[in-house]
Amino acid sequence: MNTSTHIDVPDLFAASYAANGAEARAWITDLPRLGGEFLDRWGLRPDGPAAYGMASLILPVLQADGTPAVLKLQQLREETAGTATGLRAWKGNGIVRLLDYDEKSGTQLLERLDATRPLSSVADDDAAMQILAELMARLTSLPAPSDLRRLSDIAAAMLDQVPQAVPALRDPDEQRLVRTCASAVAELVGEPGDRLLHWDLHYDNVLAGEREHWLAIDPEPLAGDPGFELLPALDNRWEEVEATGDVARAVLRRFDLLTETLGLDRGRAVGWTLGRVLQNALWDIEDGKTTLESAQVAIAMALLLRRE
């Protein structure tokens, strides 16, 4: 095997990712060699320039038989450790197919979709939201494999963090909102659900495909209640929600479409969506922020109106 092959890593991706600390810098330094290793090991040929997101490098490739695919390289992290488990369970039903996987490095070989046509390219928001909801319903119809992270553990950890985190927020109203979200989670933590969740399903994580019109990508698989899936869909195209002039009405319209398509109990879905607001708030506080994201506040307030 020729182990001298290297890949080119875009400078912007290398610079931005290296800012995440010493482990990230070490991974970026080794990435040209790592990518080359998998080109050789899996008999792949580069087929265009690399693309990248916040945490992964995507290289278009051709397999030995000429079939297009993509090589996805990303540093193994807790939230992505179950990706292959989830993709294998879904078997391509509504989501990109996993063609090969390396357990040690987390490197994936995936079917190639059309990265130039995300679901966000669909101009009609109602149509796009219906497509997203139907994909979400399919993905959450499966029971989660037993070795995935569980929402019960994540929810319990969030509740433990709230007393220390809340005082960091400057606005007493925002402090009360976070405590309200925590109360909603506390009511549900004993019934966390067992469905296979994507955990980050929004318009830009759905791409056009040939096998199906639309397929999800980039899951961070989790076992839990489908209500915990809804928030990334609710704040898609937030500027359009604000432009309606009635944010609460627009949020609830989306919420009703999602819960109806998925067949969810709306009370539980409200509670778990507030749990997702809580999670984002805790992450922001951990990052040193002292105010909440305005979209998150608006969504939470709209759902609390529904709860009353």
Side-chain angles (χ1 to χ4, degrees):
M1 182 177 69
N2 176 14
T3 58
S4 63
T5 304
H6 283 65
I7 64 168
D8 293 326
V9 177
D11 292 341
L12 285 176
F13 175 65
S16 63
Y17 194 81
N20 293 322
E23 289 186 5
R25 288 192 293 274
W27 182 76
I28 280 288
T29 299
D30 189 49
L31 190 53
R33 181 207 62 79
L34 182 68
E37 175 186 330
F38 283 97
L39 289 179
D40 291 338
R41 184 190 300 186
W42 289 338
L44 307 172
R45 288 179 288 131
D47 187 38
Y52 57 90
M54 291 182 62
S56 61
L57 184 71
I58 308 294
L59 184 65
V61 295
L62 296 175
Q63 299 180 76
D65 64 0
T67 304
V70 294
L71 183 66
K72 182 175 182 179
L73 300 143
Q74 62 182 13
Q75 187 179 6
L76 269 180
R77 307 186 314 279
E78 183 183 19
E79 60 267 29
T80 59
T83 299
T85 300
L87 289 173
R88 287 169 179 152
W90 280 307
K91 298 178 181 177
N93 183 9
I95 198 164
V96 66
R97 275 187 176 144
L98 180 69
L99 306 177
D100 212 334
Y101 182 70
D102 178 68
E103 296 282 350
K104 183 178 179 181
S105 67
T107 302
Q108 303 167 41
L109 184 67
L110 301 162
E111 75 174 304
R112 194 187 303 181
L113 305 180
D114 189 348
T116 69
R117 291 179 56 213
L119 186 54
S120 55
S121 66
V122 174
D124 183 334
D125 189 69
D126 288 343
M129 189 60 63
Q130 186 65 47
I131 291 167
L132 191 69
E134 291 172 3
L135 281 176
M136 192 180 294
R138 291 167 65 187
L139 296 177
T140 58
S141 67
L142 293 182
S146 60
D147 54 343
L148 287 180
R149 284 187 303 165
R150 312 200 74 77
L151 179 55
S152 54
D153 297 329
I154 289 170
M158 289 194 297
L159 293 176
D160 287 344
Q161 295 169 39
V162 168
Q164 293 77 32
V166 166
L169 294 172
R170 291 201 303 256
D171 186 339
D173 288 338
E174 292 190 353
Q175 293 182 0
R176 281 191 288 273
L177 179 60
V178 170
R179 292 192 181 100
T180 298
C181 291
S183 295
V185 172
E187 292 175 10
L188 295 171
V189 70
E191 300 177 64
D194 67 349
R195 300 292 91 184
L196 178 53
L197 308 185
H198 181 289
W199 203 2
D200 194 25
L201 194 59
H202 53 78
Y203 290 165
D204 286 327
N205 271 347
V206 177
L207 299 180
E210 293 185 3
R211 180 170 56 85
E212 292 192 31
H213 289 309
W214 299 102
L215 291 163
I217 62 168
D218 290 349
E220 298 176 4
L222 176 71
D225 191 295
F228 201 64
E229 286 279 72
L230 305 184
L231 186 61
L234 292 174
D235 67 4
N236 274 302
R237 291 177 175 163
W238 188 250
E239 67 284 352
E240 294 184 20
V241 173
E242 293 178 315
T244 66
D246 190 339
V247 168
R249 183 174 181 273
V251 167
L252 292 175
R253 183 182 182 192
R254 287 179 165 184
F255 178 79
D256 288 346
L257 185 155
L258 289 163
T259 53
E260 181 176 351
T261 303
L262 272 72
L264 301 183
D265 175 274
R266 283 180 175 157
R268 288 179 59 84
V270 166
W272 281 122
T273 304
L274 293 175
R276 196 64 177 270
V277 172
L278 173 64
Q279 184 176 57
N280 288 339
L282 292 171
W283 283 340
D284 285 347
I285 291 168
E286 186 178 354
D287 288 342
K289 296 180 181 177
T290 57
T291 59
L292 301 180
E293 293 288 340
S294 59
Q296 303 280 303
V297 172
I299 290 170
M301 297 304 293
L303 294 178
L304 288 169
L305 288 173
R306 171 57 57 83
R307 211 169 180 229
E308 291 175 355

